[in-house]
Amino acid sequence: MRYKFLALFLPFFANAFVDQNGDFQIWARTEFWNYFSPKAFTLTEAEARWGDTASKLFLTYMQAQIAYLPVPWFYLAPGYRQQFQRYPVVSNHWEFHYLPLIDATFLWPVTWTLSDRNRLMYSIIDSNPSHWVYRNRLRFIMPWSFAYSRINPFVENEIFIRQRNGFNEDRLAGGFMIAINGNFTGRIQYLCRFQKNSVNHWTHQNILQMALVGTF
């Protein structure tokens, strides 16, 4: 665990290529949550990622899910992600990733809010054998608020376990949720991502992640 906290103090704008050690990246996302009944909603999102000191677009995806809430503290959401990624990252060739997925998310809205999202994905790509990916994300939204209760801090941690590779990625993040109006929320966070490469060496990237979330 020690390497995570040391990495938080490294310079943001390190001279590194996409996804190499110390690379600074920007991830920008939009999400739309559409409730069509008290127990069901759709979630659509799109994201673009720039790396190599935030100078090169290297990944983008679109994702859609439909969710069912049998009880207020749990929902199940199958879906599909279509992802496009430069491969190799120094080229202009874009590789297609086909990612069916399902989320099982638990919610505990007490004084603070805790969510535990368990995601199972099946990754189908040309450059690697198809494989399963399990992701677990814990998010804590703090009870404190600022600016007339419009800003709430949060922290989260997400781990990745891949078939044949085991535990090979960890994302530690903290930031703020900002209530813009009754339908839109902004989210801005710093994310420190740790990845294990093919020789079992851990690298990290510093990421500024921004999201606009619409709820209808």
Side-chain angles (χ1 to χ4, degrees):
M1 296 294 292
R2 189 183 309 163
Y3 67 87
K4 296 183 183 180
F5 298 100
L6 291 174
L8 297 177
F9 297 99
L10 295 178
F12 264 48
F13 296 96
N15 185 16
F17 294 111
V18 173
D19 276 351
Q20 290 190 354
N21 202 40
D23 184 27
F24 171 72
Q25 302 183 1
I26 292 177
W27 297 2
R29 176 188 299 181
T30 56
E31 300 177 13
F32 293 98
W33 300 63
N34 296 92
Y35 287 80
F36 52 87
S37 83
K39 290 192 173 186
F41 65 87
T42 59
L43 168 60
T44 55
E45 63 182 71
E47 182 170 288
R49 300 177 184 177
W50 290 263
D52 192 3
T53 319
S55 65
K56 176 181 286 186
L57 178 67
F58 71 94
L59 184 149
T60 184
Y61 73 78
M62 296 170 288
Q63 180 175 305
Q65 295 172 266
I66 184 165
Y68 173 64
L69 297 87
V71 289
W73 47 266
F74 172 79
Y75 68 82
L76 198 64
Y80 176 76
R81 173 184 293 191
Q82 181 65 65
Q83 185 168 295
F84 310 90
Q85 187 168 352
R86 287 186 190 268
Y87 184 80
V89 293
V90 295
S91 73
N92 288 321
H93 175 261
W94 289 84
E95 184 178 61
F96 290 76
H97 291 214
Y98 310 94
L99 298 161
L101 59 94
I102 187 168
D103 289 349
T105 303
F106 298 88
L107 305 167
W108 292 273
V110 289
T111 304
W112 38 265
T113 299
L114 168 65
S115 67
D116 178 11
R117 188 189 71 187
N118 298 270
R119 171 172 290 176
L120 186 63
M121 310 174 69
Y122 190 65
S123 179
I124 305 169
I125 53 179
D126 292 334
S127 60
N128 285 296
S130 300
H131 60 278
W132 291 98
V133 184
Y134 170 70
R135 302 169 54 169
N136 178 265
R137 188 194 69 194
L138 285 172
R139 175 181 288 170
F140 296 88
I141 303 175
M142 307 300 181
W144 318 299
S145 58
F146 310 97
Y148 302 101
S149 300
R150 300 183 69 86
I151 300 176
N152 285 87
F154 72 96
V155 294
E156 66 182 37
N157 191 71
E158 184 172 17
I159 63 169
F160 289 62
I161 299 174
R162 294 181 182 273
Q163 184 182 6
R164 292 184 293 273
N165 294 329
F167 169 52
N168 74 334
E169 185 171 344
D170 195 350
R171 298 178 181 179
L172 177 64
F176 299 93
M177 295 186 176
I178 306 165
I180 300 171
N181 58 34
N183 295 106
F184 287 95
T185 302
R187 191 170 67 238
I188 184 167
Q189 66 190 73
Y190 161 65
L191 189 153
C192 195
R193 179 174 64 168
F194 303 89
Q195 296 189 99
K196 185 172 66 174
N197 61 24
S198 58
V199 293
N200 290 326
H201 175 68
W202 286 89
T203 64
H204 86 277
Q205 295 81 42
N206 300 293
I207 299 161
L208 176 64
Q209 188 171 29
M210 298 171 288
L212 179 65
V213 183
T215 305
F216 304 94

